Amino acid sequence: MSSLSRRSALALGLGVPALMTLAACGSEGGGEQAASGEPQQGGSLTYLEPQTWTTLYPPAAGFYPNGGVVNNITDRLLYQNPETLELEPWIATALPEINEDATEYTFTLRDDATYSDGTPIDAENVVKNFDLYGKGDADRALTVSEAINNYDHGEVVDATTVKFFFSAPAPGFAQAVSTINSGLLSNATLDRTGEQFGPGNAVDIIASGPFVISGEEIGTQTTLAVREDYAWGPASKAHTGRAHLDEIVYVVAAEASVRVGTVTSQQAHIARQIDAPDEPQFEADGLVLYAAPTNGVTNSLSFRFRDPALEDIRTRQALIAAIDRQAIVDTLFTENYPLATGILAAKAPGYVDTSENYVHDPAQAAALLDEAGWVAGADGTRTKDGAPLLLTFNEALPQPRSREVVTLLQEQLAEIGIDVQLLPGDQATQDAARPVPGELQVYHSMVARSDFDVLKSQLSSENRDALLNGYPDGSVGDEELDELLAQIASTPDTEGRAEASAAAQAHLAENAYVLPLFEEPQVYGHVDAVQGFATESVARPSFYDTWLVS
């Protein structure tokens, strides 16, 4: 491979001194990433991200740019197979021993895994990881992992055995330890503050995965180097030793046209978040489009039902009836974004089809608003008691084409007298507006996790608080829904969790708390010199088995 000229690289606005000019090697359709030929060792892969990472603290790494780094530098106790969604051993040598009510978990650890600083992954270190992740540390601004419920403490049984105790049943813990939120870190790294996990500190984050962070240009580029002595990959992977690549260069390329143009012109290897209008460009020879499912909460609108404008269920039902979801999907997206039939993706654990509650019926929407006391005004906007029916929607920065989605919603809802405003701004602006009463009535979002607990992660005020009611005790503002979310997180058996999940999904639909739009994938485009590319169970990139055709 020859190096791209410095002039050409800088012209792309990537801030990279030298990308690679790539050789096209035939064509391949999307879907499963099947490698051709024997893996080759070596090479530097350039990966384009639409946004920069904000923290490498695993419990707070759910944001895809964060998780895309954490997934490739950390190991976990268990591995969730992205094809089967089954749990498999990784740093733990077997699935855990679990007591009858799921309040005690015992793991046996392999004895040969180490961090990149040479320190061992032993029982003491693993307990230190989960005592932090399960409890958090407010003094250091380190949050509790949203994946872990009811954690009490861990104990060292011996050098390779750990036991975890919970204050109430924690049936999701085994899956939780397979997520990037449970990425294992060295003792020294666990002593850091929240700020010290942020930008400017990347090379000091010590983990045990197949790559280590070797360089950082704040906000623009992060470089991962292979770990030569890595030898403990999950058994079901294509190999278990050293990763094939020598290096991965993560480059922030915010503009979709830059990401697409750089890959299609063979000047970068792979990019995440290929927007639907750009997908046809990857039908050309030498290019591959890969849409990976996220297996969790669908791309949805959540209604702040305690807001005065939305406290009447008829108003929320009118919103749902007025929105033409199929038109949104047909106008803005492709077949990789199937219309949602429920708040959970069809392959997510516990999925229930609640689509009968989301029928498009503008006439019914208008009638419901009339019943709720919203009167059409001279300017077309409905009012009640002198107040206009004005709703603010956020621009969901991590979600594909969110601004365009809200623009279509503005047009559709204006037809029945609802004035929709868009809350733009960076993530800090968005986060600051969420807890303020009256600032935001409708929240556009999704969350990926292949476990029943994903509903609690999305809705609980202790976690993502998508319903925006912000009760400090974790309540969502509805006692019945609170109880169902608690049952999902704390019922020991799978059947009971499934029943609670189904009841919660029905409750959300019947009370018009949410409107699922579509199942959101993570869409990657790459040159077909990239072989063996894969994603983990919720579509974050995994470069462990990836290799380059020279």
Side-chain angles (χ1 to χ4, degrees), residues 274 276 279 329 333-339 400 518-521 523:
I274 304 301
E279 289 184 12
V329 172
F333 299 103
T334 67
E335 63 184 8
N336 290 320
Y337 300 76
L339 187 71
F518 54 85
E519 296 193 19
E520 180 181 326
V523 182

Side-chain angles (χ1 to χ4, degrees), residues 286-327:
L287 298 170
V288 177
L289 189 77
Y290 179 48
T294 50
N295 298 318
V297 170
T298 53
N299 186 296
S300 306
L301 304 176
S302 300
F303 303 131
R304 192 173 199 154
F305 59 85
R306 293 302 185 209
D307 188 277
L310 294 176
E311 61 186 357
D312 190 322
I313 188 174
R314 293 170 295 187
T315 305
R316 302 194 300 273
Q317 289 171 333
L319 276 171
I320 290 170
I323 292 172
D324 187 345
R325 302 182 304 139
Q326 189 66 60

Side-chain angles (χ1 to χ4, degrees), residues 203-221:
V203 297
D204 297 321
I205 305 302
I206 304 301
S208 62
F211 294 96
V212 298
I213 299 175
S214 59
E216 177 190 8
E217 296 176 19
I218 297 176
T220 61
Q221 181 175 311

Side-chain angles (χ1 to χ4, degrees), residues 7 28 41 85-86 100 124 132 149 278 302 336 387 391 406 422 472 475 508 524 548:
R7 176 183 58 80
E28 181 182 345
Q41 184 170 303
L85 300 183
E86 295 295 324
E100 187 173 348
E124 183 178 352
L132 175 59
N149 296 303
D278 297 316
S302 300
N336 290 320
L391 302 175
V406 176
L422 175 70
S475 172
L508 291 167
Y524 298 84
L548 296 173

Side-chain angles (χ1 to χ4, degrees), residues 65-292:
N66 300 342
V69 177
V70 171
N71 188 49
N72 287 284
I73 66 170
T74 68
D75 296 323
R76 270 78 81 190
L77 290 181
L78 299 177
Y79 173 67
Q80 187 168 33
N81 188 308
E83 299 296 329
T84 66
L85 300 183
E86 295 295 324
L87 297 175
E88 302 172 1
W90 191 352
I91 295 302
T93 60
L95 299 183
E97 296 178 10
I98 309 172
N99 71 342
E100 187 173 348
D101 66 354
T103 58
E104 298 178 7
Y105 285 71
T106 303
F107 292 87
T108 300
L109 311 176
R110 58 187 304 152
D111 60 6
D112 59 344
T114 63
Y115 292 102
S116 59
D117 63 358
T119 57
I121 304 179
D122 56 18
E124 183 178 352
N125 165 259
V126 170
V127 167
K128 184 170 182 173
N129 271 270
F130 285 96
D131 277 356
L132 175 59
Y133 298 168
K135 298 178 181 180
D137 187 334
D139 291 340
R140 292 188 286 151
L142 297 172
T143 58
V144 175
S145 171
E146 67 178 354
I148 300 175
N149 296 303
N150 307 321
Y151 187 86
D152 188 85
H153 71 285
E155 289 185 2
V156 175
V157 177
D158 58 41
T160 58
T161 310
V162 294
K163 191 169 187 176
F164 297 107
F165 297 84
F166 298 83
S167 59
F173 185 65
Q175 193 276 339
V177 305
S178 76
T179 69
I180 54 102
N181 304 103
S182 298
L184 297 171
L185 300 174
S186 71
N187 289 333
T189 302
L190 292 169
D191 290 335
R192 303 176 74 83
T193 66
E195 183 178 3
Q196 291 171 332
F197 279 98
N201 299 278
V203 297
D204 297 321
I205 305 302
I206 304 301
S208 62
F211 294 96
V212 298
I213 299 175
S214 59
E216 177 190 8
E217 296 176 19
I218 297 176
T220 61
Q221 181 175 311
T222 304
T223 303
L224 274 56
V226 71
R227 185 171 172 192
E228 295 287 351
D229 62 346
Y230 188 81
W232 43 85
S236 65
K237 300 289 283 183
H239 76 302
T240 58
R242 177 199 191 275
H244 303 307
L245 296 169
D246 287 341
E247 181 182 70
I248 308 164
V249 182
Y250 289 63
V251 178
V252 177
E255 294 295 325
S257 59
V258 172
R259 294 194 303 278
V260 172
T262 307
V263 175
T264 58
S265 64
Q266 310 284 322
Q267 294 174 319
H269 296 93
I270 184 169
R272 186 178 72 84
Q273 201 165 312
I274 304 301
D275 287 340
D278 297 316
E279 289 184 12
Q281 296 190 53
F282 288 85
E283 296 174 2
D285 287 349
L287 298 170
V288 177
L289 189 77
Y290 179 48

Side-chain angles (χ1 to χ4, degrees), residues 418-492:
I418 300 176
D419 184 2
V420 170
Q421 300 293 315
L422 175 70
L423 176 69
D426 59 19
Q427 197 63 48
T429 301
Q430 303 273 337
D431 291 344
R434 288 181 56 188
V436 181
E439 285 290 304
L440 191 62
Q441 287 77 39
V442 182
Y443 189 59
H444 186 200
S445 65
M446 62 80 71
V447 63
R449 184 184 173 192
S450 295
D451 188 79
F452 294 103
D453 278 354
V454 72
L455 277 178
K456 178 180 178 293
S457 293
Q458 173 75 339
L459 299 173
S460 172
S461 294
E462 293 178 333
N463 301 137
R464 298 183 182 227
D465 190 27
L467 293 169
L468 300 174
N469 291 313
Y471 288 75
D473 62 355
S475 172
V476 299
D478 178 325
E479 291 184 3
E480 183 176 348
L481 183 56
D482 286 334
E483 177 59 29
L484 290 170
L485 296 177
Q487 289 176 22
I488 293 170
S490 300
T491 301

